Amino acid sequence: MLQKASVPEQQRFCAAVQLWAACAFFCPVWEGRSRRSTGRRARHWSCDAMDGSCLAQHLQLPIHTQRVAALHQSNGVCGCCGALRPRYKRLVDNIFPEDPEDGLVKTNMEKLTFYALSAPEKLDRIGAYLSEKLIRDVSRHRYGYVCIAMEALDQLLMACHCQSINLFVESFLKMVAKLLESEKPDLQILGTNSFVKFANIEEDTPSYHRSYDFFVSRFSEMCHSSHDDADIRTKIRMSGIKGLQGVVRKTVNDELQANIWDPQHMDKIVPSLLFNLQHAEEAESRSPSPLQTTEKEKENPAELAERCLRELLGRAAYGNIKNAIKPVLIHLDNHSLWEPKTFAIHCFKIIMYSIQPQHSHLVIQQLLSHLDANSKSAATVRAGIVEVLSEAAVIAASGSVGPTVLEVFNTLLRQLRLSIDYALTGSYDCAIAGGPKIIKQHEERMFQEAIIKTTGSFASTLPTYQRSEVMLFIMSKVPLPSLHHSLDTGKAGENRNRLTQVMLLKSLLQVSMGFQCSNMLTALPSSFLDRLLSAALMEDPEIRLFVLQILISFIDRHGNKHKFQTISTISDISVLKLKVDKCSRQDTVFMKKHAQHLYRHIYLTCKEETNSRVHYEALYCLLALISMELANEEVVVDLIRLVLAMQELAQVNEDNLPLYNRCALYALGAAYLNLISQLTTVPAFCQHIHEVIEMRQKEAPYLLPEGVFAEKPRLSRNLDRLGPEILFRQSKISEVLGGSGYNSDRLSTPYVPQLTDEDRLSKRKSIGETISLQVEVESRNSPEKEERAPAEEITYETLKKAIVDSVAVEEQERERRRQVVEKFQKAPFEEIAAHCGARATLLQSKLNQIFEITIRPPPSPSGTITAAYGQPQGHSIPVYEMKFPDLCVY
């Protein structure tokens, strides 16, 4: 087109080009004039408007010549002239020095920043131009200029907060992504540092289309760097962690951004942090708080990963906890980190301390679900999960287990029962291995112990009312013989029942430890206490010991049980520094309701042949705690009667107890009576007890705890020829305590336990023993004696005598009891049945006579009157004329 122009036009165009070159030299002058001038022509000649087409117009060239000039400029002909380029490009070019080692030209950078603030609409063009230059410099390996470009970008980001910054950010993120894609570690670190600076900027306007998926993936990849150089590998991993931290800060609080809590992002972020956390030092050598770390520790990727993980979890809302915890569980599974369990515990300590306290139960529920999912995994894996549960429960705030408290314990008990079945069968189906897997007994035992420990940890975080419900729930799972439910039969069934009973009672013992409740009626309701005491009649000595220990934990509310771990006849109990409070009204009501039931099981437990030293020590501790925690005058009297009955049990030996058991009962009675005599502070009572103890020390040391409960017990076979001076006499105790205000009549009455249905369900060795308890009271008024007795008038006193047993002399009572036992052991069944039937018939006939007398009205002097329906009806007697027994009137 230029060739078609005439020669004068060509000459004029060349002159224009020369003038254009002159403009480049005088550009600053014109620029100043253009700013000072307000005319249209001066504004038009400003450097921003200086291009080839505009100059051709001012030189009044033809139209086709103007087009040629514009075309040449677009093809870069005019680009070689810096003065004729757009101003933002010239300002950007001026920040780059000739030698990249000189760094950013600060004065020119200030001009560029001022220009960007003055003309924010050019900010996106500046970013695009800088991006173009940076990409070109990266491809040409001019890394010095790359660093200068990123420094300029950082300064522009920090200075500009206008509404049009979004387009500039797109160019910025494009350049950061280009650096992160580079194989040069320095460029990766440079891009990460720029991104972190950008992440700390709070933007004024939201972005609807920005995506950080690439950055999450790339930073996660950098966290797993395996560079050959250890120092470079550490720097790359730290840069990746910082980048993930920047992504979290930029997106976690912006609802318009991509949701960082989505599984696709959490599955990359959390494992990357845990991977770096695995290389941490042992937890004992770590600083207690990230704020107290030294500068050297701050350079550690593990420390940085821990801070990032804490920050991530601290920002998690209620609905995001699950997505944040699930990758942790998967990472621990994939890398087999449950078995050492040290790292797993450390991870969940970080989690529990970082999340909001009200969300703690969500973490626990995730762990429980994961435990169910791994129910067929190795015992070591399941034990590791349970150990983590235990540690998490301790950290959790009180009541944070959530509303489904019983579901938590139900899961643990279900896993316990599965473990017992695995241990008995020896194998289980394993989907991963594709077949049965041999189970190691000691590993399953370790897992069961872990569950028991975790159960106690959970219960310790619960309030009192929920803890009582949990104990009742656990006790309801213990398989016990009852009238309506039978246990599994057979060898395998008996083993399963026994293991289940032992493990559940051990769990219950863990829950009861440290349990403090002022109201025993609330702590030990009837439904719980009945089942617990039923377990005390089991043949297994381990089960009986657990029951005694559980009762001790409940009753001990002042921390006195450790003072009675050993049985002794201490002369002055003040050295024990016992904490004794007055029995409250609630405790009195509890003892009135359950005392006889409790005494009965203590008595029956003493008769077991399989008792050992620990059983007698537990019995002594239980009796001592009842005396200090729940005792009033009536309870003290009953406890003394109970201990004297134990002495008689050892003396008479109807149950053929071993020699050690008989000596142990004597020693137990001496130790308890020595304690209770000093607690009651009755001088005559104390004197009698001390006299008997001193006599035993001289003549029968095998009847004292110091001789029996030693490493080498001192026993004697001459227990059937003991003199009365070394025995505690019930008549003497009744006499000395009766003079101090105690109920002497009750003290002189021997203790006899009552029979219940659980006796025949608790596998007693001799049915004669059970029957003897049932008919012992009835035999005192046998049918033969009743038939020979003369007829007498049936009154209230007669009925009272028929129900209440008469009190006889102690020697006659012992002899009569022996005869009754012998009769029911040797007599045929028909004779026993006839005896019981006659007794029941006699009692029914007496009740019929009483009902006939009380229902039939007395004769009226005026005869009878005919009531409705033709039936005679007697005159009604006024209430004030009726005769009532003395006990019915108050």
Side-chain angles (χ1 to χ4, degrees):
M1 295 177 63
L2 186 60
Q3 293 177 356
K4 294 180 181 180
S6 60
V7 176
E9 292 178 350
Q10 294 179 4
Q11 294 176 352
R12 293 175 63 184
F13 180 75
C14 292
V17 172
Q18 294 176 0
L19 180 59
W20 200 349
C23 292
F25 181 77
F26 296 105
C27 181
V29 180
W30 287 6
E31 182 180 356
R33 291 179 57 191
S34 64
R35 291 181 178 177
R36 292 192 299 269
S37 175
T38 58
R40 179 179 181 184
R41 184 177 181 84
R43 289 196 304 270
H44 191 72
W45 276 87
S46 64
C47 292
D48 288 342
M50 181 65 68
D51 54 18
S53 60
C54 181
L55 183 61
Q57 292 178 6
H58 282 279
L59 295 177
Q60 299 179 357
L61 296 177
I63 298 300
H64 61 275
T65 306
Q66 299 177 20
R67 293 176 179 174
V68 171
L71 179 62
H72 278 267
Q73 184 197 14
S74 64
N75 290 332
V77 176
C78 298
C80 61
C81 182
L84 300 180
R85 305 181 70 189
R87 185 182 179 188
Y88 72 90
K89 289 186 177 182
R90 286 188 287 107
L91 291 174
V92 171
D93 292 337
N94 291 338
I95 66 175
F96 293 93
E98 293 183 3
D99 187 0
E101 295 182 358
D102 296 339
L104 183 66
V105 181
K106 295 183 179 181
T107 56
N108 294 336
M109 186 64 213
E110 293 176 358
K111 293 180 182 179
L112 178 61
T113 304
F114 180 76
Y115 176 78
L117 293 173
S118 302
E121 68 277 1
K122 297 297 180 67
L123 192 58
D124 56 336
R125 300 184 185 182
I126 295 174
Y129 185 56
L130 274 171
S131 176
E132 179 184 348
K133 290 178 69 65
L134 183 138
I135 294 173
R136 183 172 61 249
D137 292 336
V138 170
S139 61
R140 295 178 181 179
H141 305 288
R142 300 168 63 180
Y143 301 125
Y145 290 113
V146 171
C147 296
I148 293 174
M150 293 307 300
E151 185 179 355
L153 282 170
D154 294 342
Q155 293 189 21
L156 288 175
L157 276 175
M158 300 300 293
C160 302
H161 295 282
C162 56
Q163 295 182 355
S164 59
I165 196 175
N166 282 331
L167 298 178
F168 177 73
V169 169
E170 294 299 328
S171 300
F172 168 78
L173 294 179
K174 182 179 179 182
M175 286 181 279
V176 172
K178 184 67 177 178
L179 294 179
L180 295 177
E181 290 174 351
S182 174
E183 296 181 357
K184 296 290 183 179
D186 294 337
L187 296 184
Q188 297 176 12
I189 296 172
L190 179 64
T192 303
N193 294 336
S194 297
F195 183 84
V196 171
K197 294 177 183 178
F198 160 71
N200 293 327
I201 297 175
E202 295 183 3
E203 301 182 49
D204 297 333
T205 56
S207 175
Y208 298 90
H209 58 281
R210 194 180 301 163
S211 176
Y212 295 96
D213 294 353
F214 167 79
F215 296 99
V216 172
S217 301
R218 183 56 183 158
F219 288 138
S220 300
E221 184 180 352
M222 291 172 63
C223 290
H224 294 82
S225 175
S226 58
H227 199 277
D228 296 335
D229 192 337
D231 294 337
I232 296 177
R233 181 172 63 247
T234 299
K235 292 180 180 179
I236 294 176
R237 289 184 179 181
M238 291 187 66
S239 297
I241 298 171
K242 292 178 181 177
L244 291 178
Q245 191 176 23
V247 173
V248 172
R249 290 178 180 177
K250 197 65 180 175
T251 59
V252 72
N253 292 326
D254 192 350
E255 297 180 356
L256 299 176
Q257 299 287 356
N259 190 3
I260 199 66
W261 300 106
D262 288 342
Q264 59 180 349
H265 299 310
M266 286 289 105
D267 292 343
K268 299 175 183 178
I269 295 176
V270 175
S272 300
L273 299 177
L274 294 179
F275 175 78
N276 287 274
L277 199 60
Q278 283 179 242
H279 298 83
E281 299 177 359
E282 294 298 330
E284 291 78 9
S285 62
R286 298 170 62 88
S287 299
S289 173
L291 299 177
Q292 301 176 2
T293 55
T294 61
E295 292 296 330
K296 183 177 181 181
E297 288 177 333
K298 289 183 179 180
E299 298 177 358
N300 188 353
E303 292 290 335
L304 187 61
E306 180 177 337
R307 291 200 299 271
C308 184
L309 183 61
R310 289 180 184 275
E311 182 177 352
L312 175 67
L313 296 170
R315 296 172 181 266
Y318 180 86
N320 303 325
I321 294 293
K322 182 178 180 180
N323 292 340
I325 301 302
K326 188 176 180 180
V328 178
L329 301 174
I330 295 176
H331 181 83
L332 296 175
D333 288 340
N334 295 338
H335 295 271
S336 301
L337 296 174
W338 292 111
E339 297 181 18
K341 74 186 176 184
T342 303
F343 178 74
I345 292 175
H346 179 57
C347 286
F348 275 89
K349 281 185 176 181
I350 293 175
I351 293 172
M352 298 302 294
Y353 280 122
S354 300
I355 63 174
Q356 302 179 31
Q358 63 269 25
H359 299 160
S360 299
H361 67 279
L362 296 177
V363 180
I364 294 175
Q365 289 178 0
Q366 285 287 98
L367 284 170
L368 289 171
S369 301
H370 196 66
L371 179 61
D372 282 337
N374 288 271
S375 59
K376 292 186 178 181
S377 299
T380 53
V381 174
R382 288 177 281 137
I385 299 175
V386 172
E387 287 285 346
V388 172
L389 267 169
S390 178
E391 296 292 336
V394 174
I395 298 174
S398 179
S400 67
V401 180
T404 57
V405 176
L406 295 182
E407 185 62 28
V408 173
F409 289 91
N410 189 31
T411 302
L412 293 175
L413 297 183
R414 181 171 62 250
Q415 292 296 325
L416 184 61
R417 184 177 288 274
L418 285 175
S419 177
I420 293 173
D421 292 338
Y422 293 158
L424 290 174
T425 58
S427 64
Y428 55 79
D429 294 333
C430 184
I432 299 177
K437 183 178 179 180
I438 303 302
I439 293 178
K440 298 179 180 178
Q441 294 286 342
H442 69 278
E443 292 182 353
E444 290 296 333
R445 183 73 175 182
M446 178 185 65
F447 172 68
Q448 294 165 9
E449 295 294 335
I451 284 188
I452 293 172
K453 176 184 175 183
T454 304
T455 304
S457 299
F458 269 117
S460 63
T461 64
L462 299 176
T464 302
Y465 72 95
Q466 282 187 334
R467 204 165 176 180
S468 300
E469 293 178 357
V470 168
M471 289 186 288
L472 183 60
F473 177 76
I474 296 175
M475 195 64 220
S476 65
K477 298 291 184 180
V478 178
L480 295 175
S482 63
L483 292 174
H484 307 288
H485 303 282
S486 60
L487 297 178
D488 297 337
T489 57
K491 182 67 175 179
E494 291 179 359
N495 292 336
R496 181 178 290 104
N497 291 331
R498 181 192 175 279
L499 288 175
T500 305
Q501 291 165 354
V502 170
M503 291 303 169
L504 291 179
L505 288 175
K506 289 181 70 174
S507 302
L508 187 60
L509 179 60
Q510 286 288 329
V511 175
S512 64
M513 286 184 176
F515 180 71
Q516 298 290 335
C517 184
S518 58
N519 191 350
M520 294 299 295
L521 286 173
T522 305
L524 294 173
S526 300
S527 54
F528 175 82
L529 187 61
D530 292 343
R531 289 187 60 85
L532 180 62
L533 293 179
S534 297
L537 300 179
M538 304 295 293
E539 288 185 346
D540 193 291
E542 188 177 7
I543 294 177
R544 298 198 305 272
L545 181 60
F546 282 136
V547 173
L548 294 175
Q549 291 174 345
I550 291 169
L551 289 173
I552 289 172
S553 297
F554 275 110
I555 297 175
D556 182 32
R557 293 174 291 184
H558 294 86
N560 292 318
K561 66 180 180 181
H562 67 279
K563 302 174 183 178
F564 301 106
Q565 291 180 352
T566 58
I567 307 179
S568 62
T569 54
I570 185 172
S571 59
D572 186 7
I573 64 172
S574 61
V575 298
L576 298 178
K577 298 180 180 180
L578 301 175
K579 299 178 182 178
V580 183
D581 286 343
K582 185 179 180 181
C583 182
S584 63
R585 180 178 177 275
Q586 293 83 356
D587 294 340
T588 303
V589 175
F590 171 80
M591 292 304 291
K592 285 184 177 180
K593 185 176 182 181
H594 301 292
Q596 297 302 323
H597 197 33
L598 187 61
Y599 301 153
R600 174 179 175 274
H601 284 81
I602 293 176
Y603 180 82
L604 294 179
T605 302
C606 294
K607 298 173 62 176
E608 296 292 340
E609 296 181 0
T610 55
N611 287 341
S612 61
R613 173 179 175 179
V614 290
H615 292 84
Y616 294 110
E617 289 175 346
L619 285 168
Y620 171 70
C621 183
L622 179 60
L623 292 171
L625 291 176
I626 294 176
S627 304
M628 291 187 297
E629 298 283 352
L630 306 173
N632 50 26
E633 291 186 1
E634 182 179 353
V635 173
V636 169
V637 169
D638 288 340
L639 289 174
I640 294 174
R641 293 174 59 224
L642 176 62
V643 173
L644 292 175
M646 295 180 188
Q647 176 182 269
E648 184 180 357
L649 180 65
Q651 183 179 3
V652 177
N653 196 23
E654 296 175 353
D655 302 289
N656 297 321
L657 294 175
L659 181 62
Y660 176 82
N661 297 53
R662 296 178 65 186
C663 294
L665 288 176
Y666 280 116
L668 174 61
Y672 176 74
L673 291 176
N674 174 69
L675 174 68
I676 197 65
S677 64
Q678 298 184 55
L679 289 176
T680 54
T681 64
V682 178
F685 184 32
C686 296
Q687 181 180 359
H688 171 66
I689 301 301
H690 289 163
E691 288 177 355
V692 175
I693 292 176
E694 290 177 358
M695 188 62 65
R696 288 187 180 185
Q697 290 175 349
K698 296 178 181 179
E699 299 182 4
Y702 48 85
L703 301 183
L704 292 176
E706 290 79 8
V708 178
F709 303 113
E711 294 183 1
K712 295 182 179 180
R714 302 172 59 184
L715 305 179
S716 175
R717 298 186 179 276
N718 299 325
L719 298 182
D720 296 331
R721 291 176 294 178
L722 297 177
E725 67 278 358
I726 61 175
L727 297 178
F728 300 101
R729 297 189 300 276
Q730 189 164 3
S731 57
K732 179 66 175 179
I733 295 176
S734 174
E735 178 184 351
V736 296
L737 289 180
S740 299
Y742 290 87
N743 190 344
S744 59
D745 293 338
R746 191 175 184 87
L747 276 169
S748 60
T749 305
Y751 173 77
V752 178
Q754 300 175 354
L755 176 73
T756 60
D757 293 332
E758 63 184 347
D759 282 321
R760 59 187 179 86
L761 297 170
S762 61
K763 301 181 180 180
R764 297 289 101 188
K765 304 175 193 59
S766 172
I767 204 168
E769 298 174 3
T770 304
I771 299 175
S772 64
L773 294 176
Q774 181 178 11
V775 300
E776 191 170 2
V777 177
E778 299 175 356
S779 62
R780 296 172 182 172
N781 293 316
S782 60
E784 293 80 7
K785 292 181 180 180
E786 293 294 340
E787 292 176 359
R788 291 193 299 267
E792 59 183 4
E793 183 182 359
I794 304 301
T795 61
Y796 178 78
E797 293 297 332
T798 305
L799 181 62
K800 182 178 178 181
K801 291 180 181 180
I803 298 176
V804 180
D805 302 325
S806 59
V807 180
V809 184
E810 187 174 352
E811 290 76 8
Q812 296 177 354
E813 195 73 24
R814 187 183 306 114
E815 180 65 24
R816 184 194 55 77
R817 235 184 272 130
R818 185 181 294 107
Q819 294 176 359
V820 170
V821 172
E822 184 179 359
K823 175 181 178 181
F824 279 90
Q825 285 180 342
K826 297 180 180 180
F829 176 77
E830 292 78 7
E831 181 180 350
I832 297 174
H835 173 79
C836 295
R839 175 64 180 165
T841 304
L842 177 63
L843 181 61
Q844 184 64 36
S845 62
K846 288 189 176 183
L847 290 175
N848 292 336
Q849 296 177 16
I850 295 172
F851 292 151
E852 184 179 359
I853 293 174
T854 54
I855 295 176
R856 184 176 59 201
S860 173
S862 59
T864 59
I865 59 174
T866 303
Y869 307 101
Q871 296 180 357
Q873 178 179 357
H875 291 286
S876 60
I877 301 176
V879 177
Y880 56 84
E881 292 184 1
M882 291 182 179
K883 301 294 183 181
F884 293 94
D886 295 338
L887 294 178
C888 296
V889 181
Y890 61 93

